Amino acid sequence: MTVLPDDGLSLAAEFPEVTRAQWQHLVEGVLRKSGASDATGAGAEEALSTALEDGLSTRPLYTSDDAPEGGAGYPGFAPYVRGGTPKGASPAGWDVRQRFRCADAARTHEEVLGDLENGVSSLWLVLGRAGLPVSALPAALEGVYLDLAPVVLEPGEEFDAAARALLDVHEQRGVAPSEVRGNLGGDSLGLLARTGDDAPVDELLADAVRWAGRVGGTHPGLRAMTVDALPYHEAGASPAEELGCSLATAVAYLRSLTEAGLSAEAACRQLEFRYAATADQFTTIAKLRAARRLWARVAEACGVTSDAAAQRQHAVTSSVMMTRRDPWVNMLRTTVATLAAGVGGADAVTVLPFDDAAGLPDAFARRIARNTSTILIEESHCARVVDPAGGSYYVERLTEELARAAWAWFQEIEGAGGQRAALGSGLVGERVAATWARRREALAHRREPVTGVSEFPLLDEEPVRRDPAPEPLSGGLPRVRRDDAYEVLRARSDAHREATGARPKVLLAALGSAAAHTGRVTFAANLFQAGGVEPVTVPVDAESAAGAVREAGATVVCLCSSDKVYAEEAAAVAEAVRGAGARTVFLAGRPGELRETLEAAGVSGYVAVGGDAVGLLAGVLDELGVK
């Protein structure tokens, strides 16, 4: 061992050791000075924590004391927290997988060739009534080098026919079984979650097990089954609920495969897991790391000690976060989600095009989607480091806590009879619905802002129009989006403009100087536009307010200014606008001690941070006669 000389450059040598208690004492002072809290000690630290789903929270400080016991292991070794292989995605990067769901074979064929020529490395084909007809599969894959481009199927109810058709194409093209890569996509429980129809589950599962036995010995690079967690995520599930459902589904498949004669190791090699990646980057990173740890624990319990216990992961950028209004912002969301998926160790990543919520994506959107991965891999060099988040006390602790929350939910599902029984009894649906209800409340109150929708909406932007996509499978768990409630309001506004030639309007009565009213005018205008209501700002005082209301024909008015100006003028202005015909008068901000005076003068509501924006906007549209 080389002993370095004492050259006076020792790191932190001159600094005394700092304890957590000392840091908490400094936090106490800041909280007291700001008036935020009088908490002390651990309570002061807790006051700066951020609540997450699944009962978890993000604390303001993480140290070596927060690192989970036992560590995360090494990349490529159990429990595979740090990656399924020693090299991770290095150096070539993750598998760039594009999704195709167009029912037209010619268009799909053109898009497939274009994407493969420009950076896509594998194909994800949605087949059946939600996508391309199975009979059109050979035409869609014409000219594709199938020994180089893996094909992953999502066949729905037509699994057996789709599997046969794909392998027939490989055989006709002369592709050796050892060169076939991809996944046949058997997922009977995922289909049950999508459709709510239990009737085909047994037959589809039997088909998948039979195909797994057939290809397991002859096609080493082909998997027969997908454990798709997207139905749960797209119904509003939390990260831990998504993980728990995927684990319960995989265990059900594992039981069926081993009962059919496959070894536990061979059965594990037949499964690929599909998860959602969101713009909540650290949660996504932790979720993918926790998923590998959880599956490694199941494999260990089944006696699997080889690398078959390493979970094969396909991450898909979340459709829940995609917006229909101002969809260009989706490029930013999917970029963050893709970064998180790559850093989290996903083997394959699908970036949904920014216009995915509008219908079938156009060529530009597909290009941006595939280039998102290309830029992150080739220019940002995200694949050159194995598990770049490893060693972060925050990420390691979040991974551990998320894994434990998911395991508890998995055990609850198993205690209820397994995933199929939990879907049939409503256990999964009710749990996920309750989770989404809490999140929907946060969205309505704008505690979870959505740029371009609940924050900074552009009323005059024309919507992006695309060719309609095939209707997705439905009847089971619902599909939700973060913009759902606001989209309903905006649609009402659009219909009103179509019928009358103008959007519904609200008069923003700006009191006092520009310095006094600009902040709250901006806030109120932003909020009203989130519901499709056009704000019209007019500077007023007690003498001019009535005339402004009559001239504008306004029935809904919102007073905007500083607290000081409110104390001096708000009551008189409210009485004036009421007398001029305004039926509803809001005040931007909170009334404080002026509440009784303002309400006596005719103020009927308050536009403030943390309020129920969706409820308020729906009421405004009702008041304005927008049906």
Side-chain angles (χ1 to χ4, degrees):
M1 181 178 71
T2 302
V3 178
L4 297 176
D6 184 5
D7 56 4
L9 298 178
S10 300
L11 294 176
E14 303 300 322
F15 294 93
E17 183 178 355
V18 178
T19 67
R20 196 179 200 115
Q22 289 175 300
W23 178 81
Q24 290 173 347
H25 179 68
L26 295 175
V27 172
E28 293 170 11
V30 173
L31 290 175
R32 281 197 300 270
K33 185 178 295 185
S34 66
S37 173
D38 292 326
T40 60
E45 184 174 345
E46 186 65 27
L48 297 181
S49 297
T50 301
L52 305 176
E53 292 182 300
D54 301 308
L56 309 183
S57 65
T58 296
R59 299 195 295 275
L61 177 69
Y62 289 84
T63 69
S64 57
D65 295 336
D66 298 298
E69 294 183 9
Y74 298 96
F77 294 90
Y80 302 102
V81 172
R82 304 199 62 195
T85 62
K87 292 184 178 180
S90 228
W94 50 86
D95 174 5
V96 180
R97 183 173 297 172
Q98 193 85 302
R99 184 179 69 166
F100 304 86
R101 57 183 178 131
C102 178
D104 181 75
R107 176 169 174 172
T108 300
H109 176 248
E110 180 182 355
E111 291 176 345
V112 162
L113 294 182
D115 285 345
L116 288 173
E117 289 171 1
N118 291 283
V120 166
S121 52
S122 68
L123 311 174
W124 173 16
L125 299 175
V126 180
L127 303 179
R129 58 190 172 99
L132 184 73
V134 172
S135 60
L137 186 60
L141 296 177
E142 185 66 36
V144 175
Y145 293 105
L146 295 173
D147 54 338
L148 301 177
V151 177
V152 173
L153 303 182
E154 185 181 332
E157 306 99 324
E158 301 184 49
F159 167 75
D160 187 59
R164 188 180 303 109
L166 180 62
L167 288 186
D168 285 348
V169 171
H170 281 90
E171 184 176 351
Q172 292 163 9
R173 306 276 177 85
V175 181
S178 60
E179 299 297 319
V180 177
R181 300 287 186 272
N183 194 311
L184 300 178
D187 186 22
S188 54
L189 293 180
L191 184 65
L192 172 60
R194 290 286 194 203
T195 66
D197 185 3
D198 187 74
V201 170
D202 290 324
E203 181 180 353
L204 288 172
L205 182 57
D207 287 341
V209 169
R210 186 177 69 255
W211 276 98
R214 174 180 169 183
V215 303
T218 58
H219 297 69
L222 182 65
R223 298 175 187 246
M225 303 178 76
T226 298
V227 179
D228 191 355
L230 296 188
Y232 312 104
H233 170 78
E234 292 172 2
S238 68
E241 289 164 355
E242 183 185 346
L243 290 176
C245 287
S246 73
L247 208 61
T249 299
V251 166
Y253 293 161
L254 202 58
R255 290 193 182 105
S256 296
L257 290 166
T258 53
E259 288 171 1
L262 274 72
S263 67
E265 178 178 332
C268 286
R269 294 190 188 278
Q270 288 300 308
L271 303 179
E272 181 178 50
F273 292 72
R274 183 177 294 144
Y275 294 110
T278 74
D280 186 345
Q281 58 190 16
F282 289 110
T283 300
T284 295
I285 293 168
K287 180 172 71 175
L288 295 176
R289 298 171 93 248
R292 291 193 294 271
R293 179 192 170 182
L294 291 167
W295 184 240
R297 180 69 186 92
V298 171
E300 180 187 25
C302 296
V304 179
T305 57
S306 69
D307 61 358
Q311 188 183 74
R312 174 77 182 177
Q313 291 181 337
H314 172 202
V316 183
T317 58
S318 167
S319 65
V320 176
M321 71 180 181
M322 303 291 270
T323 62
R324 288 155 281 197
R325 306 282 172 160
D326 202 1
W328 314 97
V329 185
N330 291 331
M331 296 185 201
L332 305 179
R333 299 183 179 103
T334 55
T335 298
V336 176
T338 306
L339 170 67
V343 170
D347 300 287
V349 179
T350 295
V351 181
L352 296 184
F354 73 87
D355 57 356
D356 184 75
L360 293 174
D362 65 5
F364 173 74
R366 301 187 72 83
R367 176 189 175 194
I368 294 297
R370 62 180 182 255
N371 283 357
T372 300
S373 281
T374 300
I375 291 171
L376 289 171
I377 294 169
E378 302 292 344
E379 296 188 18
S380 299
H381 307 299
C382 288
R384 292 201 175 187
V385 178
V386 180
D387 187 29
S392 160
Y393 299 133
Y394 169 44
V395 172
E396 299 292 4
R397 171 53 59 181
L398 185 58
T399 298
E400 174 74 10
E401 293 175 348
L402 192 52
R404 291 188 178 278
W407 188 263
W409 171 231
F410 161 65
Q411 289 182 311
E412 185 175 344
I413 294 173
E414 287 294 287
Q419 184 68 3
R420 184 175 182 179
L423 284 168
S425 68
L427 173 64
V428 170
E430 291 170 5
R431 172 75 172 260
V432 171
T435 298
W436 179 246
R438 290 191 292 272
R439 191 174 179 193
R440 188 172 60 236
E441 184 79 1
L443 288 162
H445 288 74
R446 302 199 301 175
R447 292 192 295 271
E448 181 180 340
V450 183
T451 303
V453 177
S454 64
E455 300 284 350
F456 312 112
L458 299 175
L459 281 186
D460 57 353
E461 182 175 31
E462 289 300 317
V464 171
R465 303 191 186 281
R466 295 290 184 264
D467 294 336
E471 284 296 320
L473 299 178
S474 60
L477 297 177
R479 293 176 185 263
V480 300
R481 293 185 188 273
R482 293 197 305 164
D483 67 354
D484 278 343
Y486 294 95
E487 179 64 22
V488 170
L489 300 173
R490 296 285 292 274
R492 291 176 64 183
S493 173
D494 289 348
H496 185 79
R497 183 180 63 171
E498 186 71 22
T500 67
R503 288 195 182 278
K505 293 180 173 59
V506 60
L507 178 67
L508 302 185
L511 312 182
S513 66
H517 67 237
T518 296
R520 280 175 169 156
V521 163
T522 302
F523 174 83
N526 184 50
L527 184 144
F528 285 113
Q529 288 179 95
V533 180
E534 182 180 342
V536 178
T537 303
V538 179
V540 301
D541 54 26
E543 295 180 357
S544 63
V549 170
R550 293 192 188 98
E551 182 178 352
T555 58
V556 177
V557 177
C558 181
L559 311 186
C560 303
S561 195
S562 65
D563 290 347
K564 180 181 178 181
V565 174
Y566 286 158
E568 298 170 351
E569 301 182 34
V573 174
E575 290 178 350
V577 298
R578 276 285 195 180
R583 295 194 297 269
T584 302
V585 180
F586 293 106
L587 182 123
R590 299 192 182 280
E593 297 177 355
L594 296 174
R595 179 181 293 272
E596 290 186 8
T597 300
L598 292 172
E599 292 180 357
V603 173
S604 52
Y606 304 95
V607 178
V609 174
D612 182 0
V614 169
L616 182 146
L617 292 168
V620 168
L621 291 176
D622 290 341
E623 177 64 35
L624 293 172
V626 180
K627 299 181 180 179

